[in-house]
Amino acid sequence: MVMNPLVAPLSPEECDALLTMRRDLHQHPELSWQEVRTSARVVEELKALGLEPQTNVAKTGVVVEIGDEGPVVALRGDMDALPVHEQTDLPFASQTEGVMHACGHDAHTSSLVAVARRLVASPPSHGRVRLIFQPAEEGAGGAKAMVAAGVLEGPKPIAIYGLHYWSKMPTGQVGVIDGPMMGSVDRLKIRVTGRGGHAAAPHNTADPLVAACYLVTTLQTMVSRRNNPLAPVVVSIGSFHAGSTFNVIPNEVEMEGTIRTLDQDAWEAVPGWLDEIVPATLAGMGCQGEVTLDRVERPLVNHTEPTQIVQHVAGQLLGDDNVKEFQTLAGEDFSVFLDNIPGCFFFVGAGGQKSDEAAPHHSPHFLLDEDAFPMGVRLLEACAREALQRATS
Ligand code: NI
């Protein structure tokens, strides 16, 4: 198969521009919904290319289109950093105390700008590419806000693509799978209330601590007795707070946890399971529960045809042996776009050749191999061109 000459390797100048921008963003990370400088930087770069981006989309988002009449293909990059204090010795380490690009969104943003540069230099022959620079991916509702702001309208893209550089995958590999690829993220809070009293007279109390301990256990029956075992669910209680001293039965207990799954049916069933299990478990011990379920992310489910396009272009650029199947229970709000239009999210290895030893995402020691970024740019560009070509031929 002849490789599409339009996704040629990046020139040294293109690589320089990409790394300069990435390092600048890395030095100046901004938290979700505060991406003011980052957004301005993106706008500045796009305007220098002669583009007229739409700014302040859902607050700090930026959208721009390149090309002509015809079908639209969307590409998305996220822009926000994390409340982590950087502990790398990079010469371009974060200059902002307590804030770090510890998930690589600096690289996603600058890669998307690099794609813009290439598309301007060589616009698609038919149709156009919509670049979506999204704020607030880190559990803060950025994708939902961008969709509400209309980024998938006028006209609706035929498909959307996005990538995540991944420190735990060797440089030179791509990870992708058709169907469910990343987990849902639910944040669960339960307040158990009873009737406190003297620890020596438990019969005069309704002990919320004992009831809540049972509840931690019965919540696991969502996994073992409610859920279809062929579609795994994880329930983890991560915090449990009660009481103040040894001889007092407290009035209440607060616990927090998370529920994850790749399965849409299980995800939809979770609220009903909680409605049944929580009150029933607590009532037997005279206690009540107040459940707050924050549905932070839905499962990320890739669509078949766009996934085939990713596999095809990744195979062309990296060799089929380097296109791996991949799933993780980590969450990603690209799932919101995929719930609205067809598309595919994929992972691009950026862990160098010793990715086993690489610090994980969200770690203060997190690093990415910059050599991986030019390939990420080419992959995004190739997905857009291939999708437009298939739509018009
Ligand atoms: Ni991320």
Side-chain angles (χ1 to χ4, degrees):
M1 181 153 310
V2 181
M3 196 185 293
N4 188 337
L6 296 177
V7 290
L10 274 67
S11 68
E13 294 74 28
E14 285 176 309
C15 285
D16 274 357
L18 169 62
L19 293 190
T20 302
M21 182 174 184
R22 187 263 165 157
R23 291 174 178 194
D24 176 62
L25 296 183
H26 195 88
Q27 246 174 340
H28 301 100
E30 295 172 303
L31 294 174
S32 302
W33 295 122
Q34 297 171 28
E35 307 91 338
V36 176
R37 183 187 182 278
T38 309
S39 174
R41 203 48 236 282
V42 168
V43 170
E44 178 191 311
E45 296 278 344
L46 296 176
K47 283 189 171 167
L49 295 171
L51 298 169
E52 288 176 25
Q54 202 185 333
T55 60
N56 305 319
V57 183
K59 202 171 173 191
T60 46
V62 179
V63 179
V64 73
E65 283 191 351
I66 303 166
D68 222 329
E69 287 309 298
V72 177
V73 170
L75 300 177
R76 172 274 212 171
D78 44 4
M79 303 192 289
D80 55 334
L82 284 158
V84 171
H85 188 73
E86 181 156 356
Q87 289 176 43
T88 69
D89 49 13
L90 289 174
F92 53 90
S94 170
Q95 291 181 357
T96 309
E97 180 96 6
V99 184
M100 176 187 178
H101 268 297
C103 200
H105 300 184
D106 49 339
H108 302 165
T109 303
S110 36
S111 293
L112 203 55
V113 167
V115 172
R117 192 172 292 117
R118 306 194 108 204
L119 290 171
V120 167
S122 172
S125 52
H126 188 58
R128 59 190 190 272
V129 182
R130 185 178 300 165
L131 304 178
I132 299 172
F133 296 87
Q134 180 208 306
E137 191 285 321
E138 297 290 357
K144 203 173 161 194
M146 289 296 272
V147 171
V151 303
L152 297 184
E153 288 156 27
K156 193 176 243 202
I158 54 168
I160 185 164
Y161 297 86
L163 63 72
H164 210 304
Y165 293 116
W166 207 244
S167 70
K168 286 292 189 186
M169 189 181 289
T171 301
Q173 285 188 5
V174 160
V176 69
I177 196 164
D178 184 17
M181 185 171 75
M182 297 182 73
S184 61
V185 179
D186 281 338
R187 183 172 182 163
L188 173 66
K189 285 188 199 181
I190 304 177
R191 215 179 81 181
V192 178
T193 49
R195 202 173 60 255
H198 201 295
H203 58 295
N204 292 328
T205 72
D207 187 342
L209 208 151
V210 171
C213 288
Y214 273 102
L215 184 58
V216 170
T217 314
T218 50
L219 285 174
Q220 292 301 328
T221 64
M222 291 198 286
V223 175
S224 65
R225 285 299 173 266
R226 300 291 178 122
N227 184 54
N228 176 351
L230 297 177
V233 170
V234 171
V235 177
S236 294
I237 299 299
S239 85
F240 189 102
H241 295 285
S244 54
T245 189
F246 80 106
N247 58 356
V248 175
I249 290 171
N251 271 318
E252 64 175 51
V253 177
E254 280 201 334
M255 61 173 104
E256 256 196 288
T258 190
I259 305 168
R260 310 279 174 124
T261 183
L262 290 164
D263 188 72
Q264 189 75 22
D265 292 341
W267 184 75
E268 282 167 13
V270 162
W273 294 341
L274 288 169
D275 280 351
E276 286 176 12
I277 292 169
V278 175
T281 303
L282 300 176
M285 284 167 275
C287 297
Q288 297 87 41
E290 188 186 311
V291 176
T292 311
L293 183 67
D294 182 9
R295 314 225 80 182
V296 183
E297 316 288 2
R298 57 194 306 130
L300 184 144
V301 184
N302 280 330
H303 297 242
T304 302
E305 212 191 310
T307 304
Q308 286 166 348
I309 287 182
V310 170
Q311 287 165 333
H312 172 73
V313 302
Q316 275 190 322
L317 293 174
L318 293 163
D320 289 334
D321 289 351
N322 288 313
V323 185
K324 309 284 187 187
E325 290 205 329
F326 184 81
Q327 282 179 314
T328 169
L329 279 177
E332 163 61 64
D333 78 357
F334 194 82
S335 56
V336 175
F337 297 108
L338 295 181
D339 193 42
N340 282 274
I341 59 171
C344 180
F345 192 70
F346 57 98
F347 286 76
V348 177
Q353 291 320 305
K354 290 188 173 173
S355 54
D356 289 352
E357 296 165 23
H361 288 246
H362 298 198
S363 151
H365 303 287
F366 174 75
L367 295 172
L368 287 174
D369 174 15
E370 292 188 322
D371 289 346
F373 306 155
M375 183 50 75
V377 172
R378 294 172 75 194
L379 287 163
L380 284 173
E381 183 193 358
C383 285
R385 292 194 190 279
E386 183 73 23
L388 285 177
Q389 201 175 323
R390 288 191 191 192
T392 50
S393 60

